Amino acid sequence: MNRKRFEKNMKIDKQYVLSLLEGAKNTTRNEIDRILEKAGDKKGLEHSEIAALLEISDPEQTKRLFEVAGKIKRDVYGNRVVLFAPLYISDYCVNNCVYCGYKCANRFNRRRLTMDEIRKEVEILEAMGHKRLALEAGEDPENCPIEYVLEAIKTIYDTYEKNGVIRRINVNIAATTVENYQKLKEAQIGTYILFEETYDEDVYKKMHPNCIKGDYDYHTTAFDRAMEGGIDDVGAGVLFGLANPKFEVLSLMLHNQHLEEKYGVGFHTISVPRLRPAEGVTLEKFPHLVDDDMFKKIVAIIRIAVPYTGMILSTREDENMRKELLEYGISQVSAGSCTGVGGYQESMNGENVSQFKMADERTPQQVIEDLMSKDYIPSYCTACYRTGRTGEKFMNIAKSEKIHHMCKPNALTTLMEYAVDYGDEDFIKRTEVFIKKQAESIDRDDIKKFTLDNIDKLKNGERDLYI
C-alpha cells in the first residue's frame, strides 16, 4: 500500500483509478475465482482486485459473487435490518445541481419548516414507530443556517408522541466547517452523511454549475473536517448515474481507505442511490445510468470490499429490488418515507411533495411484516450510539464478529417494543412467537435470557431496554 497517498486531505487520483479500470479488462476467469475465494476471509481486497470484480460478466461467476457477498453479510449482520425515515426540513437551496429537483433554477414556493411544523412531522413519524431519523436540508446559508439546523435537532430530540421518541438523528447537510461539525457533535447527532454525488472531478464540475457546491476539493474533504470536529461516524455515497459507476465504486473505496489511514476508521455507512426523475430532471441527458444487473453487482462488490460497513437503501428502489439486495449487501432501509418538506403532514392530507419519485410506498408496518415473513429481524436499535460504541470502537467490535451478542438481542427487543406500542393484539402475538423463535439461535444463555425477559418487561410498561 502507498501510504503517502493518504497522508494529506482527500484527493482522488483520477489517473490511478482509470489505470486500475484499464488493467482489469484483461482479468482471467481464474483470477476472478481467486479473488472471490480470498473475499470470503472478510479482510478486504486490493484496489486492483475490486476493479477486477467490476468486470465480471459470466453468469456463473456473477452467481458466485452474490453467494460470497451473501455469506459475508450474514456473518457480519446476521438477519437484522435497521429501519429509519428521512425528515426534510428545508428546500431552500442556492445550488443549481443538474440532477436535483431542489436546484435554484426551479421556480416553486420554497419552504422551511417552523419548529412547530417540525414537531408535527416528528409526532407523525413517532406514531409510525420510528426511532431513527435522517435529517435532510438544501444548502442555503441565509435561509437554512447551521443555527436553524441545530435548533431543529433539539426540537426533534425534545418531541414525544405517547410512547414515541427519536433516539438517533443522522444528519445529511452540505459540506461545512470544522467549527460547524463541532456544533453538530455537541448536538448529539448520530452519523454525519454526505453524498459525494460523483468522484469524477470533470463530471462533478459539470453537474454543479454556478453554485457553492461546485467546489470539488471542499466537498471531497468534508469528512476530514468532520473527523477533526469530533464526528467519528460518517456516511458516504454517490449518486449512481452521473459518471462511470466502476470509477465511482473504486473512488468510494479509496476515500474509505484514506479515512482509515488518517483517522483510524472509515465509513460507518455507504448509501447507493440511483438517479431518479425529479422536477426539471429527465434521465435522457445522463449517459451513465446504472441498469439493474450492474446495480446488483455494485452492491455485492461494496459488501465484499468493506465487509463491516453498513449499507443503506432508500425508497428510490422498489420492493422487489430491496428484497433482493437485502440478501447480499444492504443492512439498512427506509420505511414509510416522504421525501419533501412537510411531506408527512401533507401525505396525511392526501398531497404529495416528494423531492424525487419513490418506488416503494409501503408503510413501516407493511415493511416490518414483510421482513419478518422473510425471517429478517426489523431493528430500531440505537444502543451503540448512546453507549459510545461509535467510530473506531464500533469497528473494532464489529470486526471481532462479537457485535451480534449485542445487536441481535437489542434488535429483537426494539421489535417487541414496536409491537407492544403500535401493533394490535394479533400482531403482538405473532411478533412474540417470532422473537422467541429467533432467540433460540442466541448462543449465550445470559443474553438469551435477557432477550426473553424483555418481552414481559415491555408488556408491563418498561421501555428502551438494551445491552
mmCIF file of all heavy atoms in Angstrom, residues 87-96 100-114 117 135-141 143-144 148-149 279 339-343 346 352-356:
data_model
loop_
_atom_site.group_PDB
_atom_site.id
_atom_site.type_symbol
_atom_site.label_atom_id
_atom_site.label_comp_id
_atom_site.label_asym_id
_atom_site.label_seq_id
_atom_site.Cartn_x
_atom_site.Cartn_y
_atom_site.Cartn_z
ATOM 1 N N LEU A 87 -36.279 12.989 7.176
ATOM 2 C CA LEU A 87 -37.090 14.149 7.545
ATOM 3 C C LEU A 87 -36.509 15.376 6.852
ATOM 4 O O LEU A 87 -35.420 15.841 7.194
ATOM 5 C CB LEU A 87 -37.108 14.356 9.065
ATOM 6 C CG LEU A 87 -37.806 15.636 9.544
ATOM 7 C CD1 LEU A 87 -39.280 15.636 9.125
ATOM 8 C CD2 LEU A 87 -37.676 15.801 11.054
ATOM 9 N N TYR A 88 -37.226 15.885 5.860
ATOM 10 C CA TYR A 88 -36.790 17.062 5.107
ATOM 11 C C TYR A 88 -37.321 18.312 5.803
ATOM 12 O O TYR A 88 -38.536 18.459 5.980
ATOM 13 C CB TYR A 88 -37.305 16.991 3.672
ATOM 14 C CG TYR A 88 -36.605 15.956 2.832
ATOM 15 C CD1 TYR A 88 -36.849 14.595 3.009
ATOM 16 C CD2 TYR A 88 -35.683 16.328 1.859
ATOM 17 C CE1 TYR A 88 -36.202 13.644 2.237
ATOM 18 C CE2 TYR A 88 -35.025 15.386 1.079
ATOM 19 C CZ TYR A 88 -35.295 14.035 1.278
ATOM 20 O OH TYR A 88 -34.649 13.093 0.527
ATOM 21 N N ILE A 89 -36.423 19.216 6.184
ATOM 22 C CA ILE A 89 -36.843 20.388 6.955
ATOM 23 C C ILE A 89 -36.786 21.683 6.146
ATOM 24 O O ILE A 89 -37.400 22.670 6.532
ATOM 25 C CB ILE A 89 -36.012 20.542 8.247
ATOM 26 C CG1 ILE A 89 -34.533 20.744 7.931
ATOM 27 C CG2 ILE A 89 -36.234 19.345 9.175
ATOM 28 C CD1 ILE A 89 -33.693 21.121 9.166
ATOM 29 N N SER A 90 -36.057 21.711 5.031
ATOM 30 C CA SER A 90 -35.971 22.928 4.220
ATOM 31 C C SER A 90 -35.601 22.576 2.788
ATOM 32 O O SER A 90 -34.706 21.755 2.565
ATOM 33 C CB SER A 90 -34.928 23.888 4.803
ATOM 34 O OG SER A 90 -34.726 24.996 3.942
ATOM 35 N N ASP A 91 -36.284 23.208 1.812
ATOM 36 C CA ASP A 91 -35.904 23.006 0.418
ATOM 37 C C ASP A 91 -35.331 24.280 -0.211
ATOM 38 O O ASP A 91 -35.206 24.388 -1.424
ATOM 39 C CB ASP A 91 -37.069 22.463 -0.416
ATOM 40 C CG ASP A 91 -38.328 23.306 -0.322
ATOM 41 O OD1 ASP A 91 -38.219 24.501 0.030
ATOM 42 O OD2 ASP A 91 -39.423 22.782 -0.600
ATOM 43 N N TYR A 92 -34.999 25.261 0.636
ATOM 44 C CA TYR A 92 -34.252 26.407 0.141
ATOM 45 C C TYR A 92 -32.868 25.923 -0.287
ATOM 46 O O TYR A 92 -32.215 25.164 0.429
ATOM 47 C CB TYR A 92 -34.100 27.474 1.224
ATOM 48 C CG TYR A 92 -35.322 28.315 1.437
ATOM 49 C CD1 TYR A 92 -36.209 28.037 2.480
ATOM 50 C CD2 TYR A 92 -35.606 29.391 0.600
ATOM 51 C CE1 TYR A 92 -37.344 28.810 2.687
ATOM 52 C CE2 TYR A 92 -36.738 30.175 0.793
ATOM 53 C CZ TYR A 92 -37.600 29.876 1.836
ATOM 54 O OH TYR A 92 -38.716 30.637 2.027
ATOM 55 N N CYS A 93 -32.417 26.366 -1.460
ATOM 56 C CA CYS A 93 -31.104 25.932 -1.927
ATOM 57 C C CYS A 93 -30.542 26.967 -2.907
ATOM 58 O O CYS A 93 -31.251 27.440 -3.794
ATOM 59 C CB CYS A 93 -31.186 24.564 -2.608
ATOM 60 S SG CYS A 93 -29.563 23.783 -2.809
ATOM 61 N N VAL A 94 -29.268 27.290 -2.727
ATOM 62 C CA VAL A 94 -28.595 28.253 -3.607
ATOM 63 C C VAL A 94 -27.859 27.550 -4.733
ATOM 64 O O VAL A 94 -27.270 28.204 -5.595
ATOM 65 C CB VAL A 94 -27.608 29.131 -2.803
ATOM 66 C CG1 VAL A 94 -28.349 29.942 -1.755
ATOM 67 C CG2 VAL A 94 -26.519 28.269 -2.152
ATOM 68 N N ASN A 95 -27.859 26.228 -4.724
ATOM 69 C CA ASN A 95 -27.136 25.466 -5.743
ATOM 70 C C ASN A 95 -28.000 25.219 -6.978
ATOM 71 O O ASN A 95 -29.226 25.312 -6.924
ATOM 72 C CB ASN A 95 -26.645 24.141 -5.160
ATOM 73 C CG ASN A 95 -25.606 24.358 -4.081
ATOM 74 O OD1 ASN A 95 -24.729 25.203 -4.213
ATOM 75 N ND2 ASN A 95 -25.701 23.595 -2.995
ATOM 76 N N ASN A 96 -27.337 24.853 -8.058
ATOM 77 C CA ASN A 96 -28.052 24.602 -9.306
ATOM 78 C C ASN A 96 -27.669 23.226 -9.856
ATOM 79 O O ASN A 96 -27.387 23.073 -11.042
ATOM 80 C CB ASN A 96 -27.714 25.700 -10.327
ATOM 81 C CG ASN A 96 -28.802 25.847 -11.367
ATOM 82 O OD1 ASN A 96 -29.977 25.562 -11.122
ATOM 83 N ND2 ASN A 96 -28.425 26.290 -12.559
ATOM 84 N N CYS A 100 -30.938 17.622 -9.536
ATOM 85 C CA CYS A 100 -31.731 17.756 -8.307
ATOM 86 C C CYS A 100 -32.970 18.622 -8.506
ATOM 87 O O CYS A 100 -32.912 19.687 -9.123
ATOM 88 C CB CYS A 100 -30.861 18.360 -7.204
ATOM 89 S SG CYS A 100 -31.715 18.497 -5.610
ATOM 90 N N GLY A 101 -34.085 18.183 -7.946
ATOM 91 C CA GLY A 101 -35.332 18.929 -8.017
ATOM 92 C C GLY A 101 -35.329 20.181 -7.165
ATOM 93 O O GLY A 101 -36.180 21.061 -7.341
ATOM 94 N N TYR A 102 -34.401 20.293 -6.226
ATOM 95 C CA TYR A 102 -34.307 21.472 -5.376
ATOM 96 C C TYR A 102 -33.488 22.595 -6.003
ATOM 97 O O TYR A 102 -33.348 23.664 -5.422
ATOM 98 C CB TYR A 102 -33.660 21.119 -4.036
ATOM 99 C CG TYR A 102 -34.562 20.434 -3.037
ATOM 100 C CD1 TYR A 102 -34.074 20.046 -1.786
ATOM 101 C CD2 TYR A 102 -35.894 20.160 -3.320
ATOM 102 C CE1 TYR A 102 -34.876 19.408 -0.862
ATOM 103 C CE2 TYR A 102 -36.703 19.526 -2.407
ATOM 104 C CZ TYR A 102 -36.195 19.148 -1.172
ATOM 105 O OH TYR A 102 -36.994 18.516 -0.259
ATOM 106 N N LYS A 103 -32.883 22.372 -7.167
ATOM 107 C CA LYS A 103 -31.963 23.361 -7.744
ATOM 108 C C LYS A 103 -32.624 24.727 -7.840
ATOM 109 O O LYS A 103 -33.835 24.852 -8.080
ATOM 110 C CB LYS A 103 -31.469 22.896 -9.106
ATOM 111 C CG LYS A 103 -32.531 22.632 -10.151
ATOM 112 C CD LYS A 103 -31.871 22.030 -11.389
ATOM 113 C CE LYS A 103 -32.913 21.472 -12.352
ATOM 114 N NZ LYS A 103 -32.266 20.748 -13.459
ATOM 115 N N CYS A 104 -31.796 25.754 -7.676
ATOM 116 C CA CYS A 104 -32.336 27.105 -7.566
ATOM 117 C C CYS A 104 -32.997 27.580 -8.848
ATOM 118 O O CYS A 104 -33.838 28.490 -8.824
ATOM 119 C CB CYS A 104 -31.252 28.079 -7.119
ATOM 120 S SG CYS A 104 -29.823 28.192 -8.219
ATOM 121 N N ALA A 105 -32.656 26.963 -9.981
ATOM 122 C CA ALA A 105 -33.295 27.345 -11.241
ATOM 123 C C ALA A 105 -34.763 26.937 -11.286
ATOM 124 O O ALA A 105 -35.549 27.515 -12.049
ATOM 125 C CB ALA A 105 -32.547 26.709 -12.414
ATOM 126 N N ASN A 106 -35.139 25.931 -10.489
ATOM 127 C CA ASN A 106 -36.545 25.518 -10.442
ATOM 128 C C ASN A 106 -37.347 26.533 -9.640
ATOM 129 O O ASN A 106 -36.977 26.884 -8.507
ATOM 130 C CB ASN A 106 -36.677 24.130 -9.792
ATOM 131 C CG ASN A 106 -36.308 23.015 -10.749
ATOM 132 O OD1 ASN A 106 -36.171 23.232 -11.943
ATOM 133 N ND2 ASN A 106 -36.150 21.814 -10.219
ATOM 134 N N ARG A 107 -38.441 26.996 -10.214
ATOM 135 C CA ARG A 107 -39.262 28.008 -9.552
ATOM 136 C C ARG A 107 -40.462 27.351 -8.884
ATOM 137 O O ARG A 107 -41.342 26.799 -9.550
ATOM 138 C CB ARG A 107 -39.740 29.052 -10.572
ATOM 139 C CG ARG A 107 -38.606 29.767 -11.295
ATOM 140 C CD ARG A 107 -37.713 30.507 -10.322
ATOM 141 N NE ARG A 107 -36.571 31.129 -10.992
ATOM 142 C CZ ARG A 107 -35.556 31.682 -10.362
ATOM 143 N NH1 ARG A 107 -35.531 31.682 -9.040
ATOM 144 N NH2 ARG A 107 -34.571 32.228 -11.047
ATOM 145 N N PHE A 108 -40.474 27.359 -7.577
ATOM 146 C CA PHE A 108 -41.620 26.865 -6.819
ATOM 147 C C PHE A 108 -41.606 27.548 -5.461
ATOM 148 O O PHE A 108 -40.619 28.182 -5.072
ATOM 149 C CB PHE A 108 -41.592 25.336 -6.681
ATOM 150 C CG PHE A 108 -40.395 24.784 -5.963
ATOM 151 C CD1 PHE A 108 -40.416 24.583 -4.594
ATOM 152 C CD2 PHE A 108 -39.229 24.454 -6.663
ATOM 153 C CE1 PHE A 108 -39.313 24.058 -3.924
ATOM 154 C CE2 PHE A 108 -38.132 23.937 -6.014
ATOM 155 C CZ PHE A 108 -38.174 23.734 -4.639
ATOM 156 N N ASN A 109 -42.684 27.445 -4.739
ATOM 157 C CA ASN A 109 -42.765 28.058 -3.414
ATOM 158 C C ASN A 109 -41.939 27.240 -2.432
ATOM 159 O O ASN A 109 -42.334 26.136 -2.044
ATOM 160 C CB ASN A 109 -44.221 28.134 -2.951
ATOM 161 C CG ASN A 109 -45.032 29.115 -3.764
ATOM 162 O OD1 ASN A 109 -44.514 30.152 -4.187
ATOM 163 N ND2 ASN A 109 -46.295 28.804 -3.998
ATOM 164 N N ARG A 110 -40.789 27.765 -2.082
ATOM 165 C CA ARG A 110 -39.887 27.046 -1.183
ATOM 166 C C ARG A 110 -40.330 27.205 0.268
ATOM 167 O O ARG A 110 -41.047 28.149 0.616
ATOM 168 C CB ARG A 110 -38.446 27.505 -1.396
ATOM 169 C CG ARG A 110 -37.958 27.148 -2.802
ATOM 170 C CD ARG A 110 -36.510 27.492 -3.048
ATOM 171 N NE ARG A 110 -36.167 27.200 -4.439
ATOM 172 C CZ ARG A 110 -35.574 26.095 -4.849
ATOM 173 N NH1 ARG A 110 -35.238 25.160 -3.962
ATOM 174 N NH2 ARG A 110 -35.300 25.910 -6.130
ATOM 175 N N ARG A 111 -39.856 26.281 1.071
ATOM 176 C CA ARG A 111 -40.407 26.209 2.432
ATOM 177 C C ARG A 111 -39.333 25.790 3.424
ATOM 178 O O ARG A 111 -38.482 24.948 3.126
ATOM 179 C CB ARG A 111 -41.549 25.193 2.448
ATOM 180 C CG ARG A 111 -42.256 25.055 3.761
ATOM 181 C CD ARG A 111 -43.384 24.045 3.632
ATOM 182 N NE ARG A 111 -44.112 23.876 4.874
ATOM 183 C CZ ARG A 111 -45.032 22.946 5.082
ATOM 184 N NH1 ARG A 111 -45.339 22.117 4.091
ATOM 185 N NH2 ARG A 111 -45.639 22.848 6.254
ATOM 186 N N ARG A 112 -39.355 26.411 4.561
ATOM 187 C CA ARG A 112 -38.535 25.982 5.694
ATOM 188 C C ARG A 112 -39.482 25.760 6.862
ATOM 189 O O ARG A 112 -40.238 26.661 7.236
ATOM 190 C CB ARG A 112 -37.508 27.063 6.044
ATOM 191 C CG ARG A 112 -36.586 26.672 7.168
ATOM 192 C CD ARG A 112 -35.620 27.797 7.519
ATOM 193 N NE ARG A 112 -36.193 28.729 8.475
ATOM 194 C CZ ARG A 112 -35.499 29.678 9.099
ATOM 195 N NH1 ARG A 112 -34.203 29.829 8.837
ATOM 196 N NH2 ARG A 112 -36.070 30.499 9.956
ATOM 197 N N LEU A 113 -39.457 24.573 7.418
ATOM 198 C CA LEU A 113 -40.385 24.254 8.495
ATOM 199 C C LEU A 113 -40.094 25.085 9.740
ATOM 200 O O LEU A 113 -38.934 25.293 10.113
ATOM 201 C CB LEU A 113 -40.306 22.772 8.856
ATOM 202 C CG LEU A 113 -40.694 21.766 7.773
ATOM 203 C CD1 LEU A 113 -40.569 20.341 8.311
ATOM 204 C CD2 LEU A 113 -42.106 22.012 7.250
ATOM 205 N N THR A 114 -41.159 25.556 10.383
ATOM 206 C CA THR A 114 -41.015 26.164 11.703
ATOM 207 C C THR A 114 -40.783 25.048 12.717
ATOM 208 O O THR A 114 -40.982 23.859 12.425
ATOM 209 C CB THR A 114 -42.275 26.945 12.089
ATOM 210 O OG1 THR A 114 -43.369 26.002 12.240
ATOM 211 C CG2 THR A 114 -42.630 27.971 11.020
ATOM 212 N N GLU A 117 -43.884 23.110 13.113
ATOM 213 C CA GLU A 117 -44.117 22.189 11.998
ATOM 214 C C GLU A 117 -43.198 20.972 12.092
ATOM 215 O O GLU A 117 -43.610 19.846 11.765
ATOM 216 C CB GLU A 117 -43.897 22.923 10.677
ATOM 217 C CG GLU A 117 -45.001 23.917 10.357
ATOM 218 C CD GLU A 117 -44.679 24.787 9.152
ATOM 219 O OE1 GLU A 117 -43.481 25.042 8.889
ATOM 220 O OE2 GLU A 117 -45.634 25.218 8.478
ATOM 221 N N LEU A 135 -32.022 13.578 9.007
ATOM 222 C CA LEU A 135 -32.414 14.954 8.768
ATOM 223 C C LEU A 135 -31.805 15.443 7.462
ATOM 224 O O LEU A 135 -30.601 15.306 7.232
ATOM 225 C CB LEU A 135 -31.965 15.829 9.939
ATOM 226 C CG LEU A 135 -32.375 17.293 9.935
ATOM 227 C CD1 LEU A 135 -32.532 17.798 11.362
ATOM 228 C CD2 LEU A 135 -31.364 18.160 9.183
ATOM 229 N N GLU A 136 -32.641 16.027 6.590
ATOM 230 C CA GLU A 136 -32.208 16.450 5.255
ATOM 231 C C GLU A 136 -32.578 17.914 5.034
ATOM 232 O O GLU A 136 -33.639 18.365 5.457
ATOM 233 C CB GLU A 136 -32.905 15.606 4.174
ATOM 234 C CG GLU A 136 -32.949 14.116 4.437
ATOM 235 C CD GLU A 136 -31.759 13.378 3.840
ATOM 236 O OE1 GLU A 136 -30.961 14.031 3.132
ATOM 237 O OE2 GLU A 136 -31.650 12.167 4.080
ATOM 238 N N ALA A 137 -31.670 18.635 4.351
ATOM 239 C CA ALA A 137 -31.957 20.034 4.029
ATOM 240 C C ALA A 137 -31.131 20.465 2.835
ATOM 241 O O ALA A 137 -30.018 19.968 2.612
ATOM 242 C CB ALA A 137 -31.645 20.930 5.231
ATOM 243 N N GLY A 138 -31.674 21.410 2.055
ATOM 244 C CA GLY A 138 -30.906 22.004 0.974
ATOM 245 C C GLY A 138 -29.845 22.944 1.527
ATOM 246 O O GLY A 138 -29.829 23.255 2.725
ATOM 247 N N GLU A 139 -28.962 23.420 0.634
ATOM 248 C CA GLU A 139 -27.877 24.295 1.064
ATOM 249 C C GLU A 139 -28.247 25.747 0.794
ATOM 250 O O GLU A 139 -28.372 26.169 -0.354
ATOM 251 C CB GLU A 139 -26.575 23.944 0.333
ATOM 252 C CG GLU A 139 -25.397 24.790 0.789
ATOM 253 C CD GLU A 139 -24.067 24.334 0.206
ATOM 254 O OE1 GLU A 139 -24.084 23.504 -0.727
ATOM 255 O OE2 GLU A 139 -23.013 24.793 0.679
ATOM 256 N N ASP A 140 -28.419 26.498 1.872
ATOM 257 C CA ASP A 140 -28.728 27.918 1.766
ATOM 258 C C ASP A 140 -28.282 28.588 3.068
ATOM 259 O O ASP A 140 -28.988 28.525 4.079
ATOM 260 C CB ASP A 140 -30.231 28.131 1.548
ATOM 261 C CG ASP A 140 -30.591 29.577 1.249
ATOM 262 O OD1 ASP A 140 -29.939 30.472 1.815
ATOM 263 O OD2 ASP A 140 -31.519 29.816 0.461
ATOM 264 N N PRO A 141 -27.101 29.211 3.077
ATOM 265 C CA PRO A 141 -26.560 29.781 4.312
ATOM 266 C C PRO A 141 -27.458 30.817 4.966
ATOM 267 O O PRO A 141 -27.399 31.010 6.178
ATOM 268 C CB PRO A 141 -25.242 30.423 3.846
ATOM 269 C CG PRO A 141 -24.865 29.672 2.611
ATOM 270 C CD PRO A 141 -26.167 29.337 1.945
ATOM 271 N N ASN A 143 -31.130 31.077 4.495
ATOM 272 C CA ASN A 143 -32.431 30.535 4.893
ATOM 273 C C ASN A 143 -32.338 29.236 5.688
ATOM 274 O O ASN A 143 -33.322 28.825 6.317
ATOM 275 C CB ASN A 143 -33.298 30.304 3.652
ATOM 276 C CG ASN A 143 -33.746 31.592 3.014
ATOM 277 O OD1 ASN A 143 -34.476 32.372 3.631
ATOM 278 N ND2 ASN A 143 -33.286 31.858 1.796
ATOM 279 N N CYS A 144 -31.189 28.572 5.630
ATOM 280 C CA CYS A 144 -31.013 27.323 6.385
ATOM 281 C C CYS A 144 -29.618 27.302 7.011
ATOM 282 O O CYS A 144 -28.798 26.431 6.706
ATOM 283 C CB CYS A 144 -31.219 26.134 5.461
ATOM 284 S SG CYS A 144 -31.283 24.537 6.313
ATOM 285 N N TYR A 148 -30.200 27.147 12.543
ATOM 286 C CA TYR A 148 -31.529 26.573 12.309
ATOM 287 C C TYR A 148 -31.478 25.056 12.390
ATOM 288 O O TYR A 148 -32.357 24.419 13.003
ATOM 289 C CB TYR A 148 -32.041 27.016 10.937
ATOM 290 C CG TYR A 148 -33.280 26.276 10.480
ATOM 291 C CD1 TYR A 148 -34.522 26.518 11.050
ATOM 292 C CD2 TYR A 148 -33.199 25.320 9.468
ATOM 293 C CE1 TYR A 148 -35.665 25.840 10.622
ATOM 294 C CE2 TYR A 148 -34.324 24.634 9.040
ATOM 295 C CZ TYR A 148 -35.552 24.895 9.616
ATOM 296 O OH TYR A 148 -36.668 24.207 9.206
ATOM 297 N N VAL A 149 -30.456 24.453 11.803
ATOM 298 C CA VAL A 149 -30.311 23.000 11.836
ATOM 299 C C VAL A 149 -30.165 22.520 13.278
ATOM 300 O O VAL A 149 -30.786 21.531 13.693
ATOM 301 C CB VAL A 149 -29.108 22.553 10.983
ATOM 302 C CG1 VAL A 149 -28.849 21.055 11.154
ATOM 303 C CG2 VAL A 149 -29.339 22.884 9.513
ATOM 304 N N GLU A 279 -38.272 17.102 -10.433
ATOM 305 C CA GLU A 279 -38.737 18.328 -11.078
ATOM 306 C C GLU A 279 -37.607 18.951 -11.894
ATOM 307 O O GLU A 279 -36.544 19.277 -11.369
ATOM 308 C CB GLU A 279 -39.208 19.332 -10.009
ATOM 309 C CG GLU A 279 -39.772 20.619 -10.568
ATOM 310 C CD GLU A 279 -41.066 20.403 -11.337
ATOM 311 O OE1 GLU A 279 -41.820 19.465 -11.001
ATOM 312 O OE2 GLU A 279 -41.317 21.185 -12.264
ATOM 313 N N THR A 339 -40.298 12.333 0.933
ATOM 314 C CA THR A 339 -39.056 12.989 0.557
ATOM 315 C C THR A 339 -39.273 14.453 0.187
ATOM 316 O O THR A 339 -38.602 14.990 -0.690
ATOM 317 C CB THR A 339 -38.380 12.251 -0.613
ATOM 318 O OG1 THR A 339 -39.250 12.284 -1.745
ATOM 319 C CG2 THR A 339 -38.068 10.819 -0.234
ATOM 320 N N GLY A 340 -40.210 15.099 0.858
ATOM 321 C CA GLY A 340 -40.439 16.520 0.645
ATOM 322 C C GLY A 340 -40.593 17.233 1.967
ATOM 323 O O GLY A 340 -40.877 16.610 3.007
ATOM 324 N N VAL A 341 -40.387 18.536 1.962
ATOM 325 C CA VAL A 341 -40.505 19.345 3.180
ATOM 326 C C VAL A 341 -41.965 19.364 3.624
ATOM 327 O O VAL A 341 -42.861 19.719 2.856
ATOM 328 C CB VAL A 341 -39.981 20.774 2.922
ATOM 329 C CG1 VAL A 341 -40.183 21.639 4.154
ATOM 330 C CG2 VAL A 341 -38.514 20.731 2.526
ATOM 331 N N GLY A 342 -42.178 18.949 4.862
ATOM 332 C CA GLY A 342 -43.546 18.853 5.369
ATOM 333 C C GLY A 342 -44.309 17.685 4.787
ATOM 334 O O GLY A 342 -45.546 17.627 4.867
ATOM 335 N N GLY A 343 -43.582 16.722 4.227
ATOM 336 C CA GLY A 343 -44.203 15.638 3.480
ATOM 337 C C GLY A 343 -45.108 14.734 4.287
ATOM 338 O O GLY A 343 -46.103 14.215 3.756
ATOM 339 N N GLU A 346 -48.374 16.585 4.853
ATOM 340 C CA GLU A 346 -49.050 16.705 3.561
ATOM 341 C C GLU A 346 -49.650 15.372 3.114
ATOM 342 O O GLU A 346 -50.747 15.319 2.557
ATOM 343 C CB GLU A 346 -48.077 17.218 2.490
ATOM 344 C CG GLU A 346 -47.520 18.608 2.741
ATOM 345 C CD GLU A 346 -48.565 19.690 2.594
ATOM 346 O OE1 GLU A 346 -49.635 19.409 2.037
ATOM 347 O OE2 GLU A 346 -48.314 20.818 3.054
ATOM 348 N N ASN A 352 -48.840 15.212 -2.198
ATOM 349 C CA ASN A 352 -47.510 14.638 -2.412
ATOM 350 C C ASN A 352 -46.532 15.760 -2.728
ATOM 351 O O ASN A 352 -46.715 16.493 -3.696
ATOM 352 C CB ASN A 352 -47.540 13.626 -3.558
ATOM 353 C CG ASN A 352 -46.191 12.971 -3.787
ATOM 354 O OD1 ASN A 352 -45.265 13.165 -3.016
ATOM 355 N ND2 ASN A 352 -46.088 12.207 -4.852
ATOM 356 N N VAL A 353 -45.481 15.892 -1.898
ATOM 357 C CA VAL A 353 -44.479 16.948 -2.114
ATOM 358 C C VAL A 353 -43.080 16.337 -2.206
ATOM 359 O O VAL A 353 -42.111 16.914 -1.764
ATOM 360 C CB VAL A 353 -44.527 18.002 -0.981
ATOM 361 C CG1 VAL A 353 -45.832 18.763 -1.032
ATOM 362 C CG2 VAL A 353 -44.336 17.345 0.395
ATOM 363 N N SER A 354 -42.970 15.172 -2.815
ATOM 364 C CA SER A 354 -41.700 14.452 -2.849
ATOM 365 C C SER A 354 -40.647 15.183 -3.677
ATOM 366 O O SER A 354 -40.948 15.800 -4.699
ATOM 367 C CB SER A 354 -41.896 13.046 -3.425
ATOM 368 O OG SER A 354 -42.679 12.267 -2.555
ATOM 369 N N GLN A 355 -39.384 15.076 -3.221
ATOM 370 C CA GLN A 355 -38.262 15.667 -3.947
ATOM 371 C C GLN A 355 -37.983 14.899 -5.236
ATOM 372 O O GLN A 355 -37.591 15.460 -6.239
ATOM 373 C CB GLN A 355 -37.005 15.671 -3.065
ATOM 374 C CG GLN A 355 -35.790 16.312 -3.747
ATOM 375 C CD GLN A 355 -34.496 15.972 -3.064
ATOM 376 O OE1 GLN A 355 -34.466 15.166 -2.143
ATOM 377 N NE2 GLN A 355 -33.414 16.575 -3.512
ATOM 378 N N PHE A 356 -38.148 13.556 -5.181
ATOM 379 C CA PHE A 356 -37.927 12.710 -6.346
ATOM 380 C C PHE A 356 -38.948 11.583 -6.315
ATOM 381 O O PHE A 356 -39.634 11.360 -5.311
ATOM 382 C CB PHE A 356 -36.495 12.144 -6.358
ATOM 383 C CG PHE A 356 -36.114 11.448 -5.084
ATOM 384 C CD1 PHE A 356 -36.475 10.138 -4.838
ATOM 385 C CD2 PHE A 356 -35.384 12.119 -4.109
ATOM 386 C CE1 PHE A 356 -36.138 9.500 -3.664
ATOM 387 C CE2 PHE A 356 -35.034 11.480 -2.917
ATOM 388 C CZ PHE A 356 -35.413 10.178 -2.699
#
